[in-house]
mmCIF file of all heavy atoms in Angstrom:
data_model
loop_
_atom_site.group_PDB
_atom_site.id
_atom_site.type_symbol
_atom_site.label_atom_id
_atom_site.label_comp_id
_atom_site.label_asym_id
_atom_site.label_seq_id
_atom_site.Cartn_x
_atom_site.Cartn_y
_atom_site.Cartn_z
ATOM 1 N N LYS B 9 72.141 132.973 96.007
ATOM 2 C CA LYS B 9 70.995 132.147 95.595
ATOM 3 C C LYS B 9 71.182 131.612 94.169
ATOM 4 O O LYS B 9 70.941 130.427 93.889
ATOM 5 C CB LYS B 9 69.694 132.984 95.672
ATOM 6 C CG LYS B 9 68.541 132.183 96.243
ATOM 7 C CD LYS B 9 67.321 133.062 96.464
ATOM 8 C CE LYS B 9 66.153 132.440 95.710
ATOM 9 N NZ LYS B 9 65.115 133.361 95.357
ATOM 10 N N GLU B 10 71.656 132.512 93.310
ATOM 11 C CA GLU B 10 71.902 132.082 91.926
ATOM 12 C C GLU B 10 72.907 130.947 91.861
ATOM 13 O O GLU B 10 72.717 129.958 91.156
ATOM 14 C CB GLU B 10 72.560 133.247 91.151
ATOM 15 C CG GLU B 10 71.634 134.279 90.558
ATOM 16 C CD GLU B 10 72.435 135.479 90.077
ATOM 17 O OE1 GLU B 10 73.619 135.322 89.631
ATOM 18 O OE2 GLU B 10 71.918 136.600 90.181
ATOM 19 N N ILE B 11 73.998 131.110 92.650
ATOM 20 C CA ILE B 11 75.058 130.081 92.624
ATOM 21 C C ILE B 11 74.535 128.759 93.119
ATOM 22 O O ILE B 11 74.778 127.718 92.525
ATOM 23 C CB ILE B 11 76.273 130.562 93.500
ATOM 24 C CG1 ILE B 11 76.925 131.771 92.847
ATOM 25 C CG2 ILE B 11 77.291 129.427 93.648
ATOM 26 C CD1 ILE B 11 78.022 132.419 93.679
ATOM 27 N N ILE B 12 73.754 128.828 94.191
ATOM 28 C CA ILE B 12 73.208 127.587 94.764
ATOM 29 C C ILE B 12 72.327 126.894 93.706
ATOM 30 O O ILE B 12 72.414 125.662 93.515
ATOM 31 C CB ILE B 12 72.374 127.870 96.042
ATOM 32 C CG1 ILE B 12 73.320 128.365 97.156
ATOM 33 C CG2 ILE B 12 71.631 126.627 96.512
ATOM 34 C CD1 ILE B 12 72.614 129.051 98.350
ATOM 35 N N GLU B 13 71.534 127.657 92.979
ATOM 36 C CA GLU B 13 70.662 127.062 91.952
ATOM 37 C C GLU B 13 71.477 126.443 90.841
ATOM 38 O O GLU B 13 71.182 125.345 90.346
ATOM 39 C CB GLU B 13 69.716 128.138 91.373
ATOM 40 C CG GLU B 13 68.519 128.394 92.279
ATOM 41 C CD GLU B 13 67.763 129.679 91.943
ATOM 42 O OE1 GLU B 13 68.000 130.251 90.859
ATOM 43 O OE2 GLU B 13 66.946 130.092 92.768
ATOM 44 N N GLU B 14 72.547 127.141 90.459
ATOM 45 C CA GLU B 14 73.409 126.575 89.370
ATOM 46 C C GLU B 14 74.013 125.213 89.778
ATOM 47 O O GLU B 14 74.063 124.302 88.975
ATOM 48 C CB GLU B 14 74.553 127.542 89.062
ATOM 49 C CG GLU B 14 74.157 128.812 88.313
ATOM 50 C CD GLU B 14 75.215 129.882 88.363
ATOM 51 O OE1 GLU B 14 76.367 129.572 88.694
ATOM 52 O OE2 GLU B 14 74.851 131.019 88.049
ATOM 53 N N PHE B 15 74.436 125.154 91.030
ATOM 54 C CA PHE B 15 75.053 123.900 91.496
ATOM 55 C C PHE B 15 74.007 122.788 91.639
ATOM 56 O O PHE B 15 74.328 121.620 91.486
ATOM 57 C CB PHE B 15 75.866 124.094 92.758
ATOM 58 C CG PHE B 15 77.274 124.570 92.500
ATOM 59 C CD1 PHE B 15 77.532 125.898 92.194
ATOM 60 C CD2 PHE B 15 78.352 123.687 92.507
ATOM 61 C CE1 PHE B 15 78.833 126.335 91.941
ATOM 62 C CE2 PHE B 15 79.632 124.101 92.254
ATOM 63 C CZ PHE B 15 79.865 125.436 91.946
ATOM 64 N N GLU B 16 72.772 123.187 91.978
ATOM 65 C CA GLU B 16 71.702 122.181 92.102
ATOM 66 C C GLU B 16 71.452 121.468 90.783
ATOM 67 O O GLU B 16 71.244 120.260 90.739
ATOM 68 C CB GLU B 16 70.412 122.853 92.580
ATOM 69 C CG GLU B 16 70.260 122.771 94.113
ATOM 70 C CD GLU B 16 69.149 123.669 94.645
ATOM 71 O OE1 GLU B 16 68.375 124.233 93.844
ATOM 72 O OE2 GLU B 16 69.115 123.828 95.864
ATOM 73 N N ILE B 17 71.537 122.259 89.704
ATOM 74 C CA ILE B 17 71.305 121.653 88.364
ATOM 75 C C ILE B 17 72.324 120.585 88.082
ATOM 76 O O ILE B 17 72.063 119.571 87.444
ATOM 77 C CB ILE B 17 71.344 122.768 87.268
ATOM 78 C CG1 ILE B 17 70.216 123.758 87.500
ATOM 79 C CG2 ILE B 17 71.248 122.162 85.875
ATOM 80 C CD1 ILE B 17 70.320 125.031 86.716
ATOM 81 N N LEU B 18 73.597 120.810 88.607
ATOM 82 C CA LEU B 18 74.651 119.846 88.320
ATOM 83 C C LEU B 18 74.414 118.470 88.939
ATOM 84 O O LEU B 18 74.953 117.473 88.469
ATOM 85 C CB LEU B 18 75.996 120.390 88.840
ATOM 86 C CG LEU B 18 76.540 121.612 88.091
ATOM 87 C CD1 LEU B 18 77.675 122.230 88.894
ATOM 88 C CD2 LEU B 18 77.065 121.209 86.725
ATOM 89 N N GLY B 19 73.658 118.459 90.034
ATOM 90 C CA GLY B 19 73.364 117.160 90.662
ATOM 91 C C GLY B 19 74.517 116.625 91.463
ATOM 92 O O GLY B 19 75.402 117.403 91.870
ATOM 93 N N ASP B 20 74.558 115.310 91.626
ATOM 94 C CA ASP B 20 75.535 114.693 92.542
ATOM 95 C C ASP B 20 76.866 114.282 91.870
ATOM 96 O O ASP B 20 77.765 113.820 92.542
ATOM 97 C CB ASP B 20 74.921 113.464 93.189
ATOM 98 C CG ASP B 20 73.904 113.882 94.247
ATOM 99 O OD1 ASP B 20 73.982 115.011 94.703
ATOM 100 O OD2 ASP B 20 73.026 113.043 94.570
#
Side-chain angles (χ1 to χ4, degrees):
Chain B
K9 221 173 124 205
E10 276 169 33
I11 294 174
I12 293 163
E13 280 166 11
E14 286 165 16
F15 275 79
E16 265 167 11
I17 297 168
L18 290 167
D20 286 340

